[in-house]
Amino acid sequence: MNTNLREELKARKQAYVQDEIIAAAARLFAERGIRAVTIDDIASSLGYTKSVVYYYFKNKNQVLWEIFNRIHEAWWADMQAIMEEDTPPDRKLAALIRKHALNVMDRTEWTAIYFRDQSELTEAQQSTVAERKRDFDRNFRDTYAKGVATGLFKDIPPAIVTSGIIGMCNQAHVWFKPGKGLSAAEIADHFTEIALNGCHR
Amino acid sequence: MNTNLREELKARKQAYVQDEIIAAAARLFAERGIRAVTIDDIASSLGYTKSVVYYYFKNKNQVLWEIFNRIHEAWWADMQAIMEEDTPPDRKLAALIRKHALNVMDRTEWTAIYFRDQSELTEAQQSTVAERKRDFDRNFRDTYAKGVATGLFKDIPPAIVTSGIIGMCNQAHVWFKPGKGLSAAEIADHFTEIALNGCHR
DNA sequence: AGATATTTAGACTGGAGAGTCAATACTTCC
DNA sequence: GGAAGTATTGACTCTCCAGTCTAAATATCT
């Protein structure tokens, strides 16, 4: 009778284990790259056997794809929130940069996987990623272009400026170590300052 | 009798084929990542069989390591030349940025491999790479620090500023496509301008 | 308790690919 | 022409790993 309730409970429990597996996989993938990580590695890093992973995921690709989806969901939600604010281009750009820098440093593993293992996705998945990336970049670009139009920013091709700025943030995943040196927030602030200063008219 | 001459000729010929193999490997590695490229792939992209590659290289790792060495040699030589010039910090930093941006865009494959496949090297090779990277970064950092000391640059931790700037250049390997949009030189100039403007006091 | 649904273990298959080896082709030199 | 040195081939081995399958263990419900 309570079959609905049971299904729900089951789903919640499964979601929990899936999260666990994804987190473990992300750690390993980021460190060594997908191809160098076996399903056994993922499982045994959690004290499970391979079969458990295959019980919760269809195959290796699905684990990876889930990671990509989570990256996107998190980044995109944050970006949407900022885009909806009614602020002038310079403040909006500052917010975008700061948030992106923080996101990268908050989850350096995700960023590492995103850049390193994109080619391991299927063609279809890769197009989806490309599309999402276009949307992401466009928000940066449009914000910059608006700033140029209102005389706030230097008249440099928006695609170049924003690619540079986004790149500055992205690469932080390589060198940023939490707990060493400046905090993520401090670094994000510096980056924002440098970038805005750099393109301010 | 002309054994010296012959050895030399042989060496030159072998070096030529090795270059060919390395170039082919670099193209493939950059596109798909080391683990996804077989020795057969490399060989047959040149019309050879696997054995030819094994005739010229001990194993897959040596091909990769040779690529890393060439990246380093090229980048380091360029950097040395700039460091030896007797110019003020701001002009020196500008030259470093411009050159690095150009190097990245000139050989996007190399940069892709450098960032993506570093973990495929042996421990010892990885330490060597880390050491070289430290030297590379130090030149940027010291130049910036000098600029701060002479009041040219903002007083932001040099490691942060320069990591940001280097990152901006590095990431260009992901999106730069020669022949599309601005040229590498134009982009390098814009980056230099943005960066210098960004940290100028 | 016992029936049913869910989760885990472990053994197995099949394919792919790194690296080896012995045999063959091609060059160069005398 | 033939001997020594150089380059190339293709068949073979051996290991590793993704993914499957069956059976066992555990939890849940009545």
Side-chain angles (χ1 to χ4, degrees):
Chain A
M1 74 162 132
N2 308 11
T3 88
N4 274 358
L5 208 106
R6 205 175 65 198
E7 300 256 314
E8 204 185 301
L9 204 75
K10 178 183 160 192
R12 244 204 315 275
K13 197 174 156 194
Q14 292 201 339
Y16 177 79
V17 180
Q18 282 177 343
D19 283 354
E20 221 182 20
I21 293 173
I22 286 172
R27 253 191 313 275
L28 295 171
F29 287 168
E31 199 186 319
R32 308 183 213 157
I34 266 215
R35 288 285 249 259
V37 174
T38 71
I39 302 283
D40 261 321
D41 290 337
I42 300 171
S44 66
S45 87
L46 292 166
Y48 293 143
T49 67
K50 187 154 73 152
S51 308
V52 174
V53 176
Y54 279 103
Y55 181 73
Y56 290 98
F57 292 92
K58 211 172 120 263
N59 52 33
K60 209 177 174 181
N61 174 74
Q62 268 207 356
V63 179
L64 181 63
W65 184 231
E66 199 48 44
I67 294 176
F68 271 84
N69 283 332
R70 292 187 184 203
I71 298 176
H72 173 252
E73 276 159 31
W75 288 10
W76 186 244
D78 283 342
M79 176 170 256
Q80 290 285 77
I82 293 170
M83 291 310 289
E84 275 161 17
E85 289 168 15
D86 186 25
T87 45
D90 53 349
R91 293 205 39 209
K92 187 163 284 195
L93 186 66
L96 286 173
I97 296 170
R98 188 163 193 288
K99 192 74 206 169
H100 185 53
L102 282 174
N103 273 337
V104 167
M105 289 186 278
D106 239 48
R107 308 295 289 259
T108 52
E109 311 141 33
W110 284 8
T111 321
I113 295 169
Y114 183 86
F115 284 111
R116 163 181 219 157
D117 294 319
Q118 217 166 113
S119 62
E120 299 291 333
L121 298 172
T122 66
E123 289 291 316
Q125 289 166 341
Q126 288 189 44
S127 333
T128 304
V129 170
E131 204 180 311
R132 289 171 180 174
K133 186 178 162 28
R134 265 196 299 280
D135 293 340
F136 185 88
D137 288 353
R138 183 168 327 131
N139 279 332
F140 265 93
R141 247 183 10 246
D142 289 353
T143 306
Y144 189 81
K146 245 176 229 150
V148 173
T150 57
L152 280 164
F153 298 142
K154 279 177 193 285
D155 190 9
I156 302 175
I160 303 299
V161 186
T162 56
S163 295
I165 293 175
I166 295 171
M168 176 172 77
C169 300
N170 285 341
Q171 275 284 118
H173 84 265
V174 173
W175 52 267
F176 176 70
K177 294 278 175 291
K180 275 203 135 196
L182 299 196
S183 72
E186 289 167 321
I187 295 171
D189 286 339
H190 283 312
F191 275 11
T192 311
E193 187 196 348
I194 296 170
L196 259 88
N197 228 304
C199 51
H200 208 279
R201 210 172 147 79
Chain B
M1 79 165 127
N2 309 10
T3 85
N4 276 357
L5 210 108
R6 204 173 68 197
E7 300 255 313
E8 205 184 298
L9 204 76
K10 178 183 159 191
R12 246 206 311 276
K13 198 174 155 192
Q14 293 200 340
Y16 176 79
V17 181
Q18 282 176 344
D19 283 354
E20 223 182 18
I21 292 173
I22 286 171
R27 253 191 312 277
L28 295 172
F29 288 168
E31 199 186 318
R32 308 184 214 154
I34 265 218
R35 288 288 251 256
V37 174
T38 71
I39 303 283
D40 261 322
D41 290 337
I42 299 171
S44 65
S45 88
L46 293 165
Y48 293 142
T49 68
K50 185 156 71 155
S51 308
V52 175
V53 175
Y54 279 102
Y55 182 72
Y56 291 97
F57 292 91
K58 211 172 119 263
N59 53 35
K60 208 176 175 183
N61 175 73
Q62 268 207 355
V63 180
L64 181 63
W65 183 231
E66 200 44 49
I67 294 176
F68 270 83
N69 283 331
R70 295 190 180 201
I71 298 176
H72 173 251
E73 276 159 30
W75 288 10
W76 186 243
D78 284 342
M79 175 170 256
Q80 292 284 77
I82 293 170
M83 291 310 288
E84 276 161 16
E85 288 169 14
D86 186 27
T87 46
D90 54 347
R91 292 205 39 212
K92 188 162 284 195
L93 187 65
L96 286 174
I97 296 170
R98 190 163 191 287
K99 192 74 206 170
H100 185 54
L102 282 175
N103 273 337
V104 168
M105 289 185 279
D106 240 47
R107 308 295 290 261
T108 51
E109 311 141 34
W110 283 8
T111 321
I113 295 169
Y114 182 86
F115 285 111
R116 165 182 217 156
D117 293 319
Q118 219 168 110
S119 62
E120 299 291 334
L121 297 172
T122 65
E123 289 290 318
Q125 289 167 340
Q126 288 189 41
S127 331
T128 303
V129 170
E131 204 180 311
R132 290 171 178 173
K133 187 178 163 26
R134 264 195 301 280
D135 293 340
F136 185 89
D137 287 353
R138 182 166 331 130
N139 278 333
F140 266 93
R141 244 181 12 244
D142 288 354
T143 306
Y144 189 80
K146 246 177 229 147
V148 173
T150 58
L152 281 164
F153 298 143
K154 279 178 194 286
D155 190 9
I156 303 175
I160 303 299
V161 185
T162 56
S163 296
I165 293 174
I166 295 171
M168 177 172 75
C169 300
N170 285 341
Q171 275 284 118
H173 83 266
V174 174
W175 52 266
F176 175 71
K177 295 277 173 291
K180 274 203 135 194
L182 300 196
S183 71
E186 289 167 322
I187 294 171
D189 286 339
H190 283 313
F191 275 10
T192 311
E193 188 196 348
I194 296 170
L196 259 89
N197 227 302
C199 50
H200 208 281
R201 211 170 145 80

